[in-house]
Amino acid sequence: MTAAGVALEARALPTAAARRQAGRTPRTLHDHATWWLLVIVLVTVAGFTPSLTTRRGALDWAHAVHGGASVAWLLLLVAQSELARRGLTRGHRQLALVGVGCALVMCMSAVPMLQALAAAVTAADAVPARAAVPRFLLRLDFGLLACLLGLLAVALSQVRNRARHARAMAATALLALPAGLGRWAMRLLDLDPIGGSLVALGLGALWLMALAYSDARAGVRDRVYGSLAVALGAIAVLAFTGARAVTPS
């Protein structure tokens, strides 16, 4: 195969190994997904764990199951990213079967959590100041769940398109930031849940924009990261306006 043929083949493959085969070093932030996914895992676990250990109420089981499944999902993303980087396709596919189970548990355990938020909104509607936070969180969590389902649909339907499949899977990790990074922002910046979540969404959108820009510069024709950045911005606006609608002036 000619040098031009090798370069063309490598361009179609998103892995760092393919680029090295063509004599090129990794040029996108996505090539280092293993490392930034690991950072997201650490930030999320450190930020979310105190909430799991101090939460009280009838839905403790739902939060515990959802949190455990989410952490398992994030760890699987790290492992799959590294396996894909090394070209270990068989191991990557075997972990994918476990990932399907984690995704189902995450989505199913989110339902009672959304129901609890909806009940909190209804109960607090008579007191606008108390309804703002649960109304914001209800819209936020519903939007994030919709994004998760959308990204999973893209990933499953684009298995043969390695670039799009890998980016859709990696992008699901960014949906954990409001739960993890948002709580860090609440503690460090003395913010309420609305402010902390907005900070986390903003930082997540900025990182997604950086990923999209890196891809564009490398000639990767994919819009997963950019589309999710726009979606997170829309979710933030809708959730915030919903909370403001019941906040007294």
Side-chain angles (χ1 to χ4, degrees):
M1 182 180 292
T2 64
V6 173
L8 181 61
E9 181 181 356
R11 185 176 300 176
L13 299 175
T15 62
R19 291 195 176 89
R20 285 194 295 270
Q21 181 182 353
R24 293 158 47 191
T25 57
R27 295 193 304 164
T28 71
L29 292 174
H30 178 80
D31 291 325
H32 308 286
T34 299
W35 301 108
W36 55 261
L37 286 172
L38 184 59
V39 170
I40 291 176
V41 173
L42 296 176
V43 169
T44 301
V45 171
F48 195 58
T49 298
S51 296
L52 286 176
T53 58
T54 60
R55 188 179 295 275
R56 297 292 184 268
L59 283 176
D60 278 2
W61 70 268
H63 287 87
V65 170
H66 185 78
S70 299
V71 171
W73 174 262
L74 292 174
L75 291 173
L76 282 172
L77 290 179
V78 174
Q80 286 186 293
S81 175
E82 183 62 15
L83 289 172
R85 187 185 70 83
R86 298 186 181 188
L88 301 176
T89 307
R90 182 177 180 181
H92 178 86
R93 291 175 178 173
Q94 289 174 340
L95 284 183
L97 298 176
V98 181
V100 170
C102 286
L104 289 174
V105 173
M106 282 194 301
C107 295
M108 293 176 64
S109 60
V111 173
M113 295 166 60
L114 290 173
Q115 291 174 336
L117 283 173
V121 170
T122 302
D125 273 342
V127 185
R130 294 182 179 178
V133 171
R135 187 179 292 273
F136 173 88
L137 294 177
L138 177 61
R139 291 192 176 195
L140 172 64
D141 288 354
F142 186 83
L144 293 177
L145 179 59
C147 285
L148 175 61
L149 293 174
L151 288 171
L152 291 176
V154 171
L156 292 175
S157 64
Q158 299 293 318
V159 173
R160 295 185 181 278
N161 185 330
R162 296 186 183 183
R164 188 165 299 165
H165 172 79
R167 282 159 175 76
M169 292 295 292
T172 62
L174 276 298
L175 303 178
L177 286 181
L181 187 58
R183 284 166 172 77
W184 278 101
M186 289 168 57
R187 290 194 291 266
L188 297 177
L189 303 178
D190 194 24
L191 298 173
D192 63 2
I194 295 177
S197 297
L198 289 175
V199 169
L201 286 171
L203 292 175
L206 286 175
W207 179 243
L208 285 165
M209 291 171 63
L211 288 166
Y213 177 73
S214 175
D215 278 352
R217 289 199 61 184
V220 178
R221 298 180 179 180
D222 191 85
R223 300 291 183 269
V224 171
Y225 288 140
S227 298
L228 184 58
V230 173
L232 291 185
I235 290 171
V237 171
L238 291 174
F240 183 70
T241 54
R244 290 285 297 176
V246 296
T247 302
S249 57

